[in-house]
Amino acid sequence: MIDTLRPAAAGTWTVLALQYARRTAVRGNLFHQRDERSAESQEVAYYVWLAVSQTRTVLIDAGISPATAESMDGLDYFGSPLQLLGELGPTPGEIDTCILTHLHYDHTGVVADLPAARYVVQRRELEYWNGPWAARITSEQWLHSRADTDHISFADRGGRLDIVDGDLELFPGLSVHAVGGHTAGMQVVRVNTRRGPVVVASDASHFYENIEDDSPFAILHALPDMYGAFDRIRELAAGSGTVVPGHDPLVRQRFPAVTDALGAHAVIIG
Ligand SMILES: [Zn+2]
């Protein structure tokens, strides 16, 4: 089925959001600034994104692994992101590139299950998690999987790791951009689609509310950079305004389903 979604024109892509889990959280734990709504609950949705061109199959982030999901209280896990992907067609071995927006556990879970993928990560992100500070900064440490980062780091030996400094066009029509803020080396992905540019912001803006109301998420590495990230994402999305947040259940409502069978678990962004 995925092949019917590949645009004919070179340099043009189709982007899908695949939701593999959800949970309910309290807004006071999600937003940096407390307000009168802090006691309200809010759904947190968990996604990976798939970008396909005529010749490329790119997975953006790697979700939560089944083993980790089992150990999490309150997570409604629909299944492995790879299972969802498989229902659209691509097998894990057909993913040629896995862009990691950042190295939190809910974005790296199935990296070890992608036998042919090149990993794309920002140098600052990799150096932070492999460096001396991460183990001491407990507010961030719990969000990280040592095993997943080791897998990505060791991929360098097999020539399967692309370490990026800043901005880079990986393929015609698809580029990565360092923004920082949420993590040391957070990056976003800009993809040229038939509907104009799509910016997969991932956790540079967890919810639409973060970027639309200039209201940072609660978990962050550097607050000024988080505001800088909002500005950069807006710039990168100029022309279409299509921004895809990392954890917003509204993505399901704003974009159409790929198939009736998968319903809101898989939507077409552009
Ligand atoms: Zn996340």
Side-chain angles (χ1 to χ4, degrees), residues 5-77:
L5 297 173
R6 296 181 188 274
T12 306
W13 299 71
T14 298
V15 179
L16 310 180
L18 311 179
Q19 187 186 351
Y20 65 88
R22 64 176 297 284
R23 72 180 172 95
T24 303
V26 177
R27 282 175 58 88
N29 293 332
L30 298 177
F31 293 92
H32 181 66
Q33 279 140 353
R34 296 200 149 257
D35 60 23
E36 65 284 352
R37 294 185 61 200
S38 290
E40 288 178 23
S41 61
Q42 177 156 329
E43 181 186 337
V44 180
Y46 291 80
Y47 300 95
V48 296
W49 302 273
L50 183 70
V52 293
S53 69
Q54 229 2 265
T55 55
R56 293 278 171 188
T57 304
V58 177
L59 183 65
I60 302 173
D61 285 347
I64 298 176
S65 70
T68 301
E70 224 169 88
S71 70
M72 287 173 69
D73 278 342
L75 185 74
D76 186 7
Y77 191 64

Side-chain angles (χ1 to χ4, degrees), residues 102 106-107 203 206 247:
H102 63 304
D106 59 324
H107 295 259
D203 292 3
H206 285 67
H247 290 274

Side-chain angles (χ1 to χ4, degrees), residues 7 15 23 59 98 132 136 142 198 235 238 261 269:
V15 179
R23 72 180 172 95
L59 183 65
C98 178
R136 293 164 64 183
W142 70 276
V198 164
E235 259 172 38
I269 307 292

